Amino acid sequence: MCGIAGIFSPRRPPERAELDAMIGTLSHRGPDGRGTWVDGPVGLAHARLAIIDLEGGAQPMGSADGRVQLVFNGEIFNYIELREELRRAGHRFTTDSDTEVLLHAYQAWGDDFLSRLNGQFALGLWDGPRQRLLLARDGVGIRPLFWTRVGHRLAFASEAKALFALPEVPRGLDPAGLAATFGWWAPLAPHSAFEGVHCLPPGHCLVVDAQGEALTRWWDWDFPVTDPFAAVDEDALADELHALLVDAVRLQLRADVPVGAYLSGGLDSSILTSIIRRHTDTPLRSFSLTFDDAEFDESEHQQAMVRHLDTQHSSIGCGRHHIAAAFARTVWHAETPLVRTAPTPMLRLADSVRAAGYKVVLTGEGADEVFGGYDLFKEAKIRRFVARLPDSPRRARVVERLYPWLARSPGGSNALSQRFFTDSTVPGDDAVFAHQTRLSTTRRAWAFFTPKQQQALARHDPAAQLRARLPEGFSQWLPMARDQYVEAHTLMSGYLLAAQGDRMAMAASIEGRYPFLDPRVMAFASRLPPRLKMRGLCEKLLLREAFAHELPPQIGRRTKQPYRSPDSASFFDAGKPLPWVAELLSEASVRDAGLFDAPAVARLSAKCAAGRAIGFADNMAFVGVLSTMLLHQQFVRPATTVLEPA
């Protein structure tokens, strides 16, 4: 894992000092080394977190003939197999790094080399003879890459803060990015939170040369059109899934440094730790979060797995005061407004991993999107069931089975559940059908923006942004496949893998790896009939069956509990906002920023202070306002490059 940056500037060649300034903002991503390379119209820079080939993997790295130069952030897990294939074709290697494999792969296969990679990456590659810059990002968007153009210069970097190291790059919040965030929880690529700063979409590459830019998609998650009732051999599929995941974990354990694992106590992380313990020679070292609030704490289940696997384990507690203390740092690293505080405990967890001497951890993120584990998929299934059979006597019993982890839920009262599962503003075959509750709940925060800002947001409807990005043939997929695709291209890529994933881990110089997002596992899951993902309201059915014999029953049968943390309550004490919160949300500060309506924010703050915040909507609105104000303070107002908050 690393941080990368670069400039393409045919009319005014980049200067080494510019690249040094850019990469200097990314030292948290790469504390183990730094390098720059400049030649004519292009300059590349790299901050290294050394994980593979500690001695020989320094970057920027050039091909043997010097014709191609590369900066690369991430890991290529099948680099050993690719290197052997290239050796058989006559290529010679001087290092053991996956970076050198990428250089040879490009020279052998051109841009098609991307489709051969099993990894998580963002890269910038300069082809000297063709005077051509290639920017590329992994298929699901695990590693970030941003770019901006000012005049005839194009700059790119792992994080936006590196672009802001260039004085000519303007700073402002992007209405399209804000509109998507207060809907989907994150901007939808190619938008970012900042105006003029583009996020390279997952599975895309950008080719830049003297003629301009060309953006193309090299990979996307596809679902075959199949008969959902076709006969299948369930036992054979479970065995195949087991073997695939074991091999995915085996590949992702490749490193020249120790590798640990997050253990949440849920099904997904328990499967990964079990694979490490039972199917590899890697010593199992696990890390987990615990919470002071019982509503969020999963330590009972974590300890069950610790006893079951006899792992060397450590946990770190997180209370509301920890969240308040680290929230500004969280926003600085996330570089986007946040509507939940959940990334902050993940930052605290990453800090503890680094303190234990580890640089790499495996995490179970992605399993819910790939195998249909979220309550959102259950809700959509019930809504479609209700629409088909509105008078079914089974309806009330089905609703009651939802949300066992949440005391006040949509299934908690007949009247509320009636409205929740029957109200629909879009038809069942619409792309956002399963997500309309998330969109409407989060979008309530729009009411706290100024009228001028609300008008700007209204020009960028979050649902319309999503529909414009759907692939051809989407409407022919089965309903659950459509729901999975939308979830993967909104919450997963924009929030879970970004603000809550890469950014929080890399803030502590930690690399997270995601075996459930191995492209072979995703391709396998996309072919499964929906009944093998969810049977009744039992989620991730085949995944449970594949590893039932390796997990204790209380884990293997456990219903999904979403990872959550205390939200607005973290920022108040004894009915009053914390001093820094009061100052940031004061009438003068809010009016000066020009984003939010000061009286409306004051009423929301008073409501939260009094403990009268109503459900997710009020909590997300408050956290969203607070984080947006922090983002504006950290990035938009400063005239010089920002420094990380204490």
Side-chain angles (χ1 to χ4, degrees):
M1 285 309 301
C2 308
I4 64 174
I7 300 173
F8 176 68
S9 181
R11 298 190 183 183
R12 178 164 66 90
E15 299 177 7
R16 195 173 297 274
E18 293 179 302
L19 295 162
D20 288 341
M22 293 176 72
I23 208 64
T25 68
L26 302 179
S27 58
H28 54 282
R29 298 189 70 93
D32 297 333
R34 190 179 298 182
T36 57
W37 175 87
V38 181
D39 186 26
V42 70
L44 304 176
H46 186 262
R48 188 183 186 205
L49 181 65
I51 292 174
I52 292 177
D53 192 1
L54 306 186
E55 299 298 325
Q59 300 182 41
M61 183 179 287
S63 59
D65 57 12
R67 296 160 65 90
V68 180
Q69 296 287 330
L70 174 70
V71 284
F72 158 56
N73 164 33
E75 307 291 345
I76 305 304
F77 300 122
N78 65 335
Y79 77 101
I80 293 176
E81 290 78 8
L82 290 175
R83 185 171 59 201
E84 290 307 307
E85 181 179 355
L86 289 162
R87 275 178 173 159
R88 290 194 297 270
H91 291 255
R92 295 183 178 181
F93 292 83
T94 59
T95 75
D96 293 324
S97 70
D98 52 350
T99 307
E100 188 181 8
V101 171
L102 288 176
L103 285 166
H104 286 271
Y106 173 75
Q107 291 182 308
W109 303 310
D111 292 356
D112 289 341
F113 84 106
L114 295 168
S115 64
R116 294 174 176 256
L117 306 180
N118 181 339
Q120 49 191 48
F121 57 87
L123 59 85
L125 184 149
W126 174 246
D127 187 327
R130 300 172 67 185
Q131 294 289 284
R132 177 181 187 262
L133 177 67
L134 171 70
L135 305 180
R137 193 174 175 210
D138 65 71
V140 295
I142 296 173
R143 300 304 160 207
L145 191 60
F146 297 89
W147 64 277
T148 189
R149 181 177 279 280
V150 180
H152 297 283
R153 311 187 92 205
L154 182 141
F156 68 90
S158 296
E159 298 181 13
K161 58 178 64 69
L163 301 178
F164 294 144
L166 300 175
E168 67 265 31
V169 176
R171 302 182 181 204
L173 298 184
D174 180 33
L178 288 177
T181 300
F182 287 92
W184 295 113
W185 297 19
L188 296 184
H191 293 289
S192 76
F194 301 107
E195 199 162 20
V197 174
H198 311 286
C199 174
L200 187 65
H204 281 68
C205 60
L206 180 71
V207 172
V208 187
D209 55 25
Q211 283 69 50
E213 303 109 26
L215 180 68
T216 58
R217 175 178 281 169
W218 68 266
W219 186 90
D220 199 10
W221 195 11
D222 188 32
F223 290 84
V225 179
T226 58
D227 178 4
F229 305 106
V232 296
D233 187 335
E234 195 166 321
D235 291 338
L237 287 172
D239 290 342
E240 184 179 354
L241 174 56
H242 187 281
L244 270 176
L245 271 173
V246 168
D247 195 59
V249 169
R250 178 186 64 81
L251 285 183
Q252 296 202 17
L253 288 173
R254 286 176 169 172
D256 294 327
V257 296
V259 179
Y262 285 158
L263 179 58
S264 70
L267 178 71
D268 311 325
S269 64
S270 296
I271 287 174
L272 296 186
T273 51
S274 179
I275 290 173
I276 296 171
R277 187 76 171 86
R278 301 180 186 281
H279 299 282
T280 77
D281 296 326
T282 300
L284 177 55
R285 177 72 167 90
S286 55
F287 303 86
S288 66
L289 270 172
T290 64
F291 286 94
D292 296 344
D293 293 354
E295 179 181 352
F296 311 107
D297 188 58
E298 299 183 70
S299 56
E300 173 189 347
H301 305 286
Q302 295 163 6
Q303 289 304 313
M305 282 304 298
V306 169
R307 292 189 297 270
H308 182 69
L309 297 175
D310 190 26
T311 174
Q312 182 184 355
H313 181 77
S314 61
S315 61
I316 187 166
C318 188
R320 298 178 183 183
H321 62 289
H322 293 118
I323 292 173
F327 194 64
R329 182 181 171 216
T330 300
V331 172
W332 189 84
H333 281 287
E335 296 186 333
T336 188
L338 302 171
V339 297
R340 306 301 295 268
T341 63
T344 305
M346 296 304 297
L347 174 57
R348 183 167 169 79
L349 179 60
D351 283 338
S352 74
V353 172
R354 186 69 186 191
Y358 279 71
K359 293 182 179 181
V360 183
V361 288
L362 267 58
T363 172
E365 205 69 75
D368 290 304
E369 291 82 2
V370 174
F371 292 100
Y374 285 130
D375 288 334
L376 176 142
F377 301 128
K378 298 179 186 179
E379 294 167 3
K381 185 174 184 177
I382 291 176
R383 281 199 178 98
R384 291 180 175 114
F385 168 76
V386 169
R388 292 194 307 272
L389 301 168
D391 300 321
S392 170
R394 297 171 51 200
R395 172 173 151 184
R397 293 194 298 273
V398 169
V399 170
E400 289 171 0
R401 292 177 54 195
L402 277 175
Y403 318 112
W405 49 271
L406 185 61
R408 291 186 297 171
S409 74
S413 73
N414 288 335
L416 186 58
S417 64
Q418 168 104 5
R419 185 169 68 252
F420 184 81
F421 289 105
T422 57
D423 285 356
S424 180
T425 57
V426 296
D429 59 353
D430 190 279
V432 302
F433 175 81
H435 297 76
Q436 60 186 311
T437 300
R438 179 185 299 159
L439 283 169
S440 62
T441 300
T442 313
R443 188 169 174 166
R444 291 177 200 171
W446 288 30
F448 296 97
F449 284 89
T450 65
K452 179 180 178 181
Q453 290 294 331
Q454 288 186 45
Q455 291 177 4
L457 296 178
R459 291 192 286 270
H460 305 282
D461 176 59
Q465 288 188 50
L466 183 279
R467 292 188 186 102
R469 292 160 172 75
L470 296 176
E472 185 178 354
F474 175 87
S475 62
Q476 303 303 312
W477 296 345
L478 296 171
M480 191 173 189
R482 298 197 299 267
D483 298 344
Q484 288 179 266
Y485 183 93
V486 172
E487 186 74 350
H489 287 72
T490 55
L491 189 79
M492 186 181 81
S493 64
Y495 173 75
L496 295 176
L497 297 178
Q500 190 170 293
D502 171 89
R503 299 310 190 85
M504 296 305 103
M506 291 307 299
S509 304
I510 294 296
E511 173 183 290
R513 296 182 175 182
Y514 305 82
F516 286 105
L517 296 177
D518 181 296
R520 300 167 300 164
V521 174
M522 295 183 71
F524 170 85
S526 70
R527 298 191 298 269
L528 293 176
R531 69 181 188 275
L532 294 188
K533 298 174 185 176
M534 185 182 300
R535 183 166 297 167
L537 293 180
C538 178
E539 76 277 3
K540 295 185 284 196
L541 180 73
L542 192 71
L543 184 61
R544 292 178 187 273
E545 292 180 352
F547 289 90
H549 61 291
E550 297 188 14
L551 301 176
Q554 74 178 92
I555 301 297
R557 299 171 186 166
R558 188 183 176 206
T559 301
K560 169 72 179 180
Q561 176 176 332
Y563 162 65
R564 298 161 56 239
S565 64
D567 284 318
S568 64
S570 303
F571 304 102
F572 298 89
D573 183 33
K576 294 182 179 180
L578 298 175
W580 72 267
V581 175
E583 180 180 353
L584 187 66
L585 299 186
S586 68
E587 181 177 355
S589 295
V590 173
R591 291 188 186 280
D592 181 61
L595 296 167
F596 298 104
D597 179 76
V601 170
R603 290 192 295 271
L604 176 64
S605 183
K607 188 177 183 181
C608 293
R612 294 186 289 106
I614 301 175
F616 294 145
D618 282 349
N619 274 290
M620 287 193 292
F622 181 83
V623 175
V625 170
L626 185 67
S627 62
T628 305
M629 287 292 295
L630 280 169
L631 193 74
H632 184 271
Q633 181 188 72
Q634 294 169 351
F635 290 98
V636 177
R637 287 184 60 86
T640 58
T641 302
V642 294
L643 298 177
E644 181 179 352

